[in-house]
Amino acid sequence: MNYDIQKIRSYFPVLQQKIHNHPLIYFDNAASAQKPVQVLKAEEQLHNHFYGNIHRAAHFMADKATGEFEAVRTKIQHFIHAELREEIIFTKGTTESVNLVANSFGEKYIQEGDEIIVSEMEHHSNIVPWQLVAGRKNATIVQLPFTDSGELQLDVLEKRINAKTKIIAVAHVSNVLGTINQVEKIIKLAHSKNIPVFIDGAQAVQHLPVDVQQLDADFYAFSAHKMYGPNGVGVLYGKRKWLDKMPPYQGGGEMISEVSFQKTTFNEIPYKFEAGTPNITSVIAYGAAIDLMDETGLQNIGRWEQNLLNYATSKLKEIPGMKIYGEAPEKSSVISFTIKNIHPYDVGMLIDKMGIAVRTGHHCADPVMQHFNVPGTIRISFGMYNTTEEIDLFMEALKKVLAML
Ligand code: PLP
C-alpha cells in the first residue's frame, strides 16, 4: 500500500515527544485525535494576519476571515458529499448537534405519546438529549438492542417501528464496540415508513468515506477534534427539507433576519442555526485537517487502520483471560477489552507510566456496560499515525503490567 507513515507521523509534533521517559504511544484516538502542524499553522496564520469577526463587517480582516470560514463549510459539504452547503451547520461538537436536532425537531414534530427509537450502543450524547425532549413532551424512548457480538438487531427494529415513531437515532460506528452499523439499511427501512433518521457519525467520518446522499441520512453529526481538527467545533448535516421547517435552536445574533419588539424574523439556513459568534479560529483550522485527510485519502487511512485493528486483535487474543467486547464482522479501529480478575483502571494507570495512552472506564456508554454487566473496559483506538510497531510495544507493556498485577 502506498501509505507514507513516516511522512504522516512527521506532521504530528506531539508524537515526537517522550512521556514518563518513554516515546509516546497514543491509543486514545476515539476520545480525541492529535493535531497536525497544518492545523496548528492555520490557527497561527489566522491570528497573525486576518482575525476578525465574520459575516458582519466591511473591513479586510473580517472579509478575509469570513471567506476562509465559509470555504470550510464548502469543504465539509464535499467531504461528506452533501447536496448543498447550506445543509452544513457548525456547532460546538457532536453533542451540540444532537441537542440541536432533539430540541428543534422535537419542538415541532414530537408530541405526547410519540416514540423515539435510540440504539443501545449509543454514546450518552445520543441518548440524554432525546430523553430530555421525551421528558418535556411526554414521549417515550424505545430501545434498539444489540447482540453480544455487538450488532444491532434489525429484525427487532422492524417490530419496534410503529405509527408513533417520530425519529430513529443511531451511531454510524460505536465508540466502544467499534461496530460499523448498517445505517443504510436502517435508513431504508425507516424511510419506507416515513421516519427520519439521525446518524451520530462521531466515530465514522475519520475512518471511512461517508456520503450522506448515498446513505440518504436526514441528519448526520460529527466533531472536528476526533478528525485531527481543533476542539470546540462540530458539524450537523441536515437535509434542507427538515432544516427549513425546524424552528431555531438558540436565539442571538446572526440567526435573525430582522428584530423588533413586535416581531422577529429568522435568517435562512445554515445561519438560522448558528446564533452568536462561532468558533471562527477552530472552524478555519478544521479546514486544514480536512485537507490532510483528503490528501491522504480516507480509503487509505481506513485500510491502514483495518490492518492495525486485525493485528492488535490477534495479539490481544493470545492473552489468557482476555475478553473483547464487540466482534462484529464490520468493525472500525476501536478495541474494548477486559482481562479476567484485572481492574481496567489499574492497567490504564500503569501502562501510562510506560508512555502509553489508553482509555479506561465506561466510555460515556453506560448502556453498553450494562449489556455486558461490566463497570468498564480498557479501550485502545487507532488513528492514521499509529503503527504495528506501537502495537508490539503496547503488548510488551501490557504483559509487564499484568505480571505486576
Ligand atoms: N458520539 C460518539 C459515538 C462519540 O464517541 C462521542 C465522543 O466520544 C460523542 C458522540 C460526543 O462527541 P463530543 O464530545 O465531541 O460532542
Side-chain angles (χ1 to χ4, degrees), residues 30 93-95 123 125 173 175 200 202-203 223 225-226:
T94 308
T95 303
H123 187 283
S125 65
V173 173
N175 68 315
D200 173 351
Q203 298 292 345
S223 300
H225 70 96
K226 295 183 196 287

Side-chain angles (χ1 to χ4, degrees), residues 332-372:
S332 173
S333 56
V334 176
I335 312 175
S336 291
F337 62 92
T338 52
I339 303 158
K340 204 171 177 187
N341 299 328
I342 303 284
H343 197 286
Y345 187 69
D346 293 339
V347 174
M349 284 261 293
L350 289 169
I351 214 160
D352 172 62
K353 299 287 177 280
M354 302 175 193
I356 304 175
V358 304
R359 186 145 291 242
T360 60
H362 55 56
H363 316 295
C364 295
D366 275 337
V368 177
M369 301 301 125
Q370 287 151 14
H371 179 109
F372 292 108

